[in-house]
Amino acid sequence: MLHLSRKIRYKISMVKPSVRLFALSILTLCFFKVQAQDSLRTESYSALDEANEADLSYKPIAFKLNPSGSRYIRFMIWNQIWMRVTENNPGTLGVDGLPRKQTADIGIRRARILTYAQVTPKVLLLAHFGINNQTFVNGGVPGGGNSGNAGGIPIITNPITGASTADGASAKKPQLFFHDVWTEFKVTKEVFLGAGLHYWNGISRLSSQGTLNLLTLDAPIFNWPLIELTDQFARQFGVYAKGQVGKWDYRLAVNKPFSVGNGGTFDEINNRPIAANTPNDNWATQGYIAYQFFEKENNKLPFFVGSYLGTKKVFNIGGGWHHHPEATSSKNQDGTFNKHDIALWSIDSFLDLPINPEKGTALTAYAVYYHYDFGPNYLRNIGIMNVGFGPGTSQNGPGNAQPTIGSGNIFYFQTGYLLPENIFGGKTKLQPFGTLTHKNFEFFEEGSWQYDLGVNYFLNGHQAKLSFQYSNRPIFENYRKTGSAGEFILQTHIFI
């Protein structure tokens, strides 16, 4: 018997480790399956499924660090997947180098993990990391794998991600990076101080907008006017103070913006300077202050809610600013340079009003006016998850790019109405929404209007929803609007 046992052990030892691991996994799964079947002998599978489908309660992923729960750690995970059909800007080329009037694709708009810990009742630590904007042609890292882009195509850099397909290998294996890393200390119940790479932004409510509970499918992007230039995906290093005094909610910060840029130019054709970012090590100040007329909003984290879905009665009016000295420059005709401050401010108002609590209807509305001064004729074209190539034949550039941020004024309005439950049965709900935007940039001879229309289909509130949106954008040629183009987006949004 002992000889037989040794022989069996010898034969097992000769099996490849990967095969042994596979066999062990199968045995383990079988064991747990038997245990599960044994425990469910007296229950109906169909009854359990019905109970699970009816239970739409949400319990955060949190762990107590002490018996009372005053110290804890919480985890949040979410992703947003986009499926799109985009009407490309004039002159756009596809990955094959041929003209492409429209493109259909699928990609990752956001995939994030956020965790924060209440280390003591007066100390909070937060870390937030993930990826954004990965498509079939960009969003990855150099060396991530050959994407097979055709040679000879004029390649552009995606302005919102910084990703480029110039090396033919930047669509795969996107690199995780930190969005937020900061530590916060409670001084009094009205004053909290923190430091790090933070999102306690100035300018507007939408500049600190969370992406877990947007009213629309996505933010308009110009709400983050420094995006991926002097900030790291809407975050800067700094020291901040936040809190609430009575009905006033405030956030103030002194930041050390990222040093970027090569300076501005001079437009020989139109005989005017063009400002652009220039390296500097100046500090910036920013802040946002709002008065809360009805219920107070939770400000434990910096992320403002886009729609409360009728669970709160909120009406706020606020205003904010961002000031960064000598952060841009422009060139004169004689070759000398002028430096300019980035001076931005806004006023806004937010309303979230339950209409009929019994039916679950609610109205959400937000309006904001931005005044942006980056220096003379400053302009940035941005295309979210832009998969178009070539220079294009319009002033928009290729793909879905459009004039998004610049010196001038922007008015933006969004609204949505939450319809009653049980339209399709169960607890699912619909929320039609729309936006209207007017941009008047100094760079162009005239302003332009654009809009978005869509609907949210809530399977389980903001924890699980589908969003569909049609977005219209202006096309500029010779410094005037000459047309428009559209984009259809279907988004899946899951948050736990």
Side-chain angles (χ1 to χ4, degrees):
M1 179 67 71
L2 180 60
H3 174 72
L4 181 62
S5 175
R6 287 176 178 171
K7 192 171 184 180
I8 292 174
R9 286 201 304 269
Y10 171 75
K11 289 186 176 293
I12 291 176
S13 67
M14 296 299 292
V15 178
K16 293 182 178 179
S18 58
V19 176
R20 278 185 282 165
L21 180 60
F22 177 75
L24 180 61
S25 300
I26 295 297
L27 290 173
T28 303
L29 288 173
C30 291
F31 172 78
F32 281 112
K33 183 177 180 181
V34 170
Q35 294 297 311
Q37 289 175 338
D38 185 65
S39 64
L40 294 175
R41 282 174 183 169
T42 60
E43 298 188 56
S44 166
Y45 281 106
S46 60
L48 284 174
D49 291 341
E50 289 178 5
N52 289 334
E53 290 179 5
D55 183 12
L56 298 180
S57 59
Y58 170 70
K59 185 178 180 180
I61 305 174
F63 302 95
K64 293 181 180 180
L65 300 180
N66 65 350
S68 68
S70 62
R71 296 170 55 211
Y72 60 89
I73 184 170
R74 183 179 176 186
F75 296 90
M76 299 180 185
I77 305 171
W78 69 100
N79 69 52
Q80 294 165 342
I81 307 299
W82 278 14
M83 290 155 278
R84 302 182 298 176
V85 176
T86 301
E87 182 183 2
N88 291 321
N89 296 333
T92 296
L93 303 178
V95 295
D96 54 4
L98 300 177
R100 180 78 63 178
K101 290 187 177 181
Q102 69 177 31
T103 303
D105 73 312
I106 181 172
I108 299 173
R109 177 66 176 100
R110 297 179 181 92
R112 311 272 191 85
I113 298 174
L114 185 150
T115 180
Y116 66 93
Q118 195 70 56
V119 181
T120 76
K122 291 188 176 184
V123 179
L124 183 139
L125 171 68
L126 182 141
H128 173 197
F129 57 93
I131 68 166
N132 307 276
N133 304 325
Q134 185 188 12
T135 74
F136 74 105
V137 294
N138 54 33
V141 296
N146 190 351
S147 296
N149 292 309
I153 300 177
I155 302 300
I156 65 162
T157 298
N158 187 318
I160 197 65
T161 64
S164 169
T165 53
D167 59 4
S170 61
K172 301 175 184 177
K173 301 181 179 67
Q175 184 175 0
L176 293 174
F177 71 93
F178 281 104
H179 294 65
D180 300 90
V181 179
W182 41 267
T183 305
E184 181 179 281
F185 302 89
K186 179 179 179 181
V187 180
T188 70
K189 69 176 184 177
E190 294 88 8
V191 179
F192 294 77
L193 299 177
L197 183 66
H198 70 87
Y199 192 63
W200 295 95
N201 288 332
I203 307 178
S204 74
R205 175 190 183 91
L206 215 57
S207 301
S208 294
Q209 173 71 62
T211 59
L212 296 177
N213 41 47
L214 291 158
L215 169 62
T216 56
L217 182 140
D218 202 356
I221 306 304
F222 53 72
N223 55 302
W224 298 304
L226 313 171
I227 191 75
E228 284 301 275
L229 278 180
T230 60
D231 66 27
Q232 179 168 296
F233 227 79
R235 281 82 173 171
Q236 292 182 341
F237 288 116
V239 178
Y240 68 85
K242 61 100 170 181
Q244 293 182 342
V245 180
K247 291 193 173 184
W248 291 96
D249 182 283
Y250 71 90
R251 56 188 66 196
L252 310 169
V254 178
N255 293 341
K256 192 74 169 179
F258 291 90
S259 181
V260 298
N262 297 311
T265 59
F266 185 82
D267 182 357
E268 298 286 352
I269 297 176
N270 296 286
N271 193 35
R272 62 179 184 173
I274 305 293
N277 292 80
T278 188
N280 73 94
D281 63 354
N282 296 325
W283 290 82
T285 62
Q286 64 179 15
Y288 177 74
I289 301 172
Y291 187 80
Q292 306 175 102
F293 288 89
F294 298 148
E295 294 184 53
K296 289 185 178 180
E297 297 186 87
N298 189 315
N299 73 340
K300 187 178 189 70
L301 300 182
F303 312 106
F304 279 119
V305 171
S307 176
Y308 282 103
L309 305 182
T311 60
K312 287 180 76 73
K313 182 180 179 181
V314 177
F315 177 54
N316 299 346
I317 294 178
W321 82 94
H322 176 91
H323 183 255
H324 185 188
E326 300 184 340
T328 67
S329 69
S330 62
K331 192 175 183 180
N332 298 316
Q333 193 169 19
D334 62 6
T336 60
F337 283 86
N338 295 322
K339 291 186 177 181
H340 312 282
D341 294 356
I342 292 179
L344 320 172
W345 60 267
S346 82
I347 53 174
D348 63 5
S349 180
F350 174 75
L351 174 70
D352 205 297
L353 187 66
I355 303 298
N356 187 327
E358 292 183 0
K359 293 184 177 181
T361 57
L363 173 68
T364 304
Y366 175 76
V368 59
Y369 174 82
Y370 292 105
H371 177 76
Y372 288 162
D373 184 0
F374 294 89
N377 303 301
Y378 182 101
L379 184 73
R380 289 183 65 192
N381 285 354
I382 294 175
I384 298 300
M385 296 171 64
N386 194 349
V387 296
F389 295 94
T393 57
S394 72
Q395 290 177 292
N396 289 48
N400 64 349
Q402 63 175 301
T404 304
I405 298 167
S407 291
N409 305 311
I410 302 175
F411 170 76
Y412 175 76
F413 174 74
Q414 64 178 23
T415 187
Y417 188 79
L418 188 65
L419 298 175
E421 293 181 353
N422 302 318
I423 291 181
F424 297 114
K427 295 292 184 179
T428 60
K429 302 190 73 171
L430 288 176
Q431 184 185 46
F433 62 81
T435 79
L436 187 64
T437 305
H438 183 261
K439 301 174 186 173
N440 189 9
F441 294 137
E442 185 180 304
F443 185 88
F444 297 107
E445 294 180 4
E446 62 181 13
S448 64
W449 292 92
Q450 62 191 91
Y451 64 90
D452 307 287
L453 294 173
V455 62
N456 293 316
Y457 177 50
F458 297 102
L459 301 169
N460 185 18
H462 287 297
Q463 276 69 53
K465 67 179 180 182
L466 299 174
S467 298
F468 176 78
Q469 178 173 297
Y470 170 76
S471 296
N472 172 273
R473 66 183 183 277
I475 303 295
F476 282 87
E477 296 176 282
N478 297 318
Y479 305 95
R480 302 181 70 88
K481 179 182 175 182
T482 58
S484 61
E487 187 171 39
F488 294 92
I489 307 173
L490 176 64
Q491 173 181 271
T492 64
H493 168 103
I494 303 295
F495 157 54
I496 59 174

PDB file of all heavy atoms in Angstrom, residues 12 126 163 193 269 340 353-354 394 417 425:
ATOM      1  N   ILE A  12       1.780  12.088  -9.902  1.00  0.00           N
ATOM      2  CA  ILE A  12       1.191  13.423  -9.768  1.00  0.00           C
ATOM      3  C   ILE A  12       2.256  14.481  -9.900  1.00  0.00           C
ATOM      4  O   ILE A  12       2.060  15.519 -10.517  1.00  0.00           O
ATOM      5  CB  ILE A  12       0.450  13.546  -8.420  1.00  0.00           C
ATOM      6  CG1 ILE A  12      -0.801  12.666  -8.420  1.00  0.00           C
ATOM      7  CG2 ILE A  12       0.083  15.001  -8.128  1.00  0.00           C
ATOM      8  CD1 ILE A  12      -1.534  12.640  -7.106  1.00  0.00           C
ATOM      9  N   LEU A 126      -7.859  59.686   0.627  1.00  0.00           N
ATOM     10  CA  LEU A 126      -8.578  59.280  -0.587  1.00  0.00           C
ATOM     11  C   LEU A 126      -7.605  59.000  -1.719  1.00  0.00           C
ATOM     12  O   LEU A 126      -6.610  59.708  -1.893  1.00  0.00           O
ATOM     13  CB  LEU A 126      -9.566  60.373  -1.012  1.00  0.00           C
ATOM     14  CG  LEU A 126     -10.434  60.058  -2.241  1.00  0.00           C
ATOM     15  CD1 LEU A 126     -11.844  60.585  -2.057  1.00  0.00           C
ATOM     16  CD2 LEU A 126      -9.815  60.629  -3.515  1.00  0.00           C
ATOM     17  N   ALA A 163      -3.125  61.109 -26.028  1.00  0.00           N
ATOM     18  CA  ALA A 163      -2.714  59.890 -26.717  1.00  0.00           C
ATOM     19  C   ALA A 163      -2.524  60.163 -28.198  1.00  0.00           C
ATOM     20  O   ALA A 163      -3.231  60.940 -28.800  1.00  0.00           O
ATOM     21  CB  ALA A 163      -3.766  58.797 -26.524  1.00  0.00           C
ATOM     22  N   LEU A 193      -9.279  71.108   6.062  1.00  0.00           N
ATOM     23  CA  LEU A 193      -8.104  71.442   5.269  1.00  0.00           C
ATOM     24  C   LEU A 193      -7.519  70.173   4.674  1.00  0.00           C
ATOM     25  O   LEU A 193      -7.478  69.123   5.341  1.00  0.00           O
ATOM     26  CB  LEU A 193      -7.045  72.137   6.120  1.00  0.00           C
ATOM     27  CG  LEU A 193      -7.437  73.469   6.769  1.00  0.00           C
ATOM     28  CD1 LEU A 193      -6.285  73.979   7.626  1.00  0.00           C
ATOM     29  CD2 LEU A 193      -7.828  74.498   5.718  1.00  0.00           C
ATOM     30  N   ILE A 269      -1.641  85.928 -41.314  1.00  0.00           N
ATOM     31  CA  ILE A 269      -2.752  86.118 -42.253  1.00  0.00           C
ATOM     32  C   ILE A 269      -3.738  87.153 -41.735  1.00  0.00           C
ATOM     33  O   ILE A 269      -4.181  88.051 -42.469  1.00  0.00           O
ATOM     34  CB  ILE A 269      -3.451  84.773 -42.519  1.00  0.00           C
ATOM     35  CG1 ILE A 269      -2.474  83.801 -43.182  1.00  0.00           C
ATOM     36  CG2 ILE A 269      -4.694  84.971 -43.387  1.00  0.00           C
ATOM     37  CD1 ILE A 269      -3.045  82.421 -43.403  1.00  0.00           C
ATOM     38  N   HIS A 340       0.399  86.485 -20.417  1.00  0.00           N
ATOM     39  CA  HIS A 340      -0.988  86.750 -20.040  1.00  0.00           C
ATOM     40  C   HIS A 340      -1.395  85.851 -18.869  1.00  0.00           C
ATOM     41  O   HIS A 340      -0.933  84.712 -18.764  1.00  0.00           O
ATOM     42  CB  HIS A 340      -1.926  86.491 -21.226  1.00  0.00           C
ATOM     43  CG  HIS A 340      -1.463  87.115 -22.501  1.00  0.00           C
ATOM     44  ND1 HIS A 340      -1.603  88.449 -22.785  1.00  0.00           N
ATOM     45  CD2 HIS A 340      -0.825  86.568 -23.575  1.00  0.00           C
ATOM     46  CE1 HIS A 340      -1.101  88.708 -23.968  1.00  0.00           C
ATOM     47  NE2 HIS A 340      -0.614  87.577 -24.480  1.00  0.00           N
ATOM     48  N   LEU A 353     -35.819  69.320  -8.108  1.00  0.00           N
ATOM     49  CA  LEU A 353     -37.096  69.522  -7.423  1.00  0.00           C
ATOM     50  C   LEU A 353     -38.023  68.323  -7.617  1.00  0.00           C
ATOM     51  O   LEU A 353     -38.420  68.024  -8.749  1.00  0.00           O
ATOM     52  CB  LEU A 353     -37.767  70.785  -7.980  1.00  0.00           C
ATOM     53  CG  LEU A 353     -39.034  71.268  -7.285  1.00  0.00           C
ATOM     54  CD1 LEU A 353     -38.722  71.739  -5.872  1.00  0.00           C
ATOM     55  CD2 LEU A 353     -39.662  72.397  -8.104  1.00  0.00           C
ATOM     56  N   PRO A 354     -38.387  67.615  -6.534  1.00  0.00           N
ATOM     57  CA  PRO A 354     -39.413  66.577  -6.659  1.00  0.00           C
ATOM     58  C   PRO A 354     -40.747  67.216  -7.053  1.00  0.00           C
ATOM     59  O   PRO A 354     -41.154  68.222  -6.464  1.00  0.00           O
ATOM     60  CB  PRO A 354     -39.486  65.979  -5.247  1.00  0.00           C
ATOM     61  CG  PRO A 354     -38.204  66.386  -4.574  1.00  0.00           C
ATOM     62  CD  PRO A 354     -37.840  67.708  -5.174  1.00  0.00           C
ATOM     63  N   SER A 394     -11.673  71.629 -42.327  1.00  0.00           N
ATOM     64  CA  SER A 394     -12.333  72.709 -41.598  1.00  0.00           C
ATOM     65  C   SER A 394     -11.455  73.139 -40.436  1.00  0.00           C
ATOM     66  O   SER A 394     -10.427  72.517 -40.148  1.00  0.00           O
ATOM     67  CB  SER A 394     -13.707  72.262 -41.085  1.00  0.00           C
ATOM     68  OG  SER A 394     -13.554  71.347 -40.005  1.00  0.00           O
ATOM     69  N   TYR A 417     -36.301  65.655 -17.010  1.00  0.00           N
ATOM     70  CA  TYR A 417     -37.528  65.387 -16.256  1.00  0.00           C
ATOM     71  C   TYR A 417     -37.636  63.896 -16.008  1.00  0.00           C
ATOM     72  O   TYR A 417     -37.603  63.087 -16.954  1.00  0.00           O
ATOM     73  CB  TYR A 417     -38.757  65.882 -17.016  1.00  0.00           C
ATOM     74  CG  TYR A 417     -40.021  65.807 -16.200  1.00  0.00           C
ATOM     75  CD1 TYR A 417     -40.310  66.783 -15.239  1.00  0.00           C
ATOM     76  CD2 TYR A 417     -40.930  64.760 -16.372  1.00  0.00           C
ATOM     77  CE1 TYR A 417     -41.469  66.717 -14.481  1.00  0.00           C
ATOM     78  CE2 TYR A 417     -42.089  64.682 -15.615  1.00  0.00           C
ATOM     79  CZ  TYR A 417     -42.354  65.664 -14.666  1.00  0.00           C
ATOM     80  OH  TYR A 417     -43.494  65.602 -13.904  1.00  0.00           O
ATOM     81  N   GLY A 425     -42.986  48.724 -16.435  1.00  0.00           N
ATOM     82  CA  GLY A 425     -43.101  47.701 -15.414  1.00  0.00           C
ATOM     83  C   GLY A 425     -41.919  47.704 -14.477  1.00  0.00           C
ATOM     84  O   GLY A 425     -40.824  48.129 -14.846  1.00  0.00           O
TER      85      GLY A 425
END
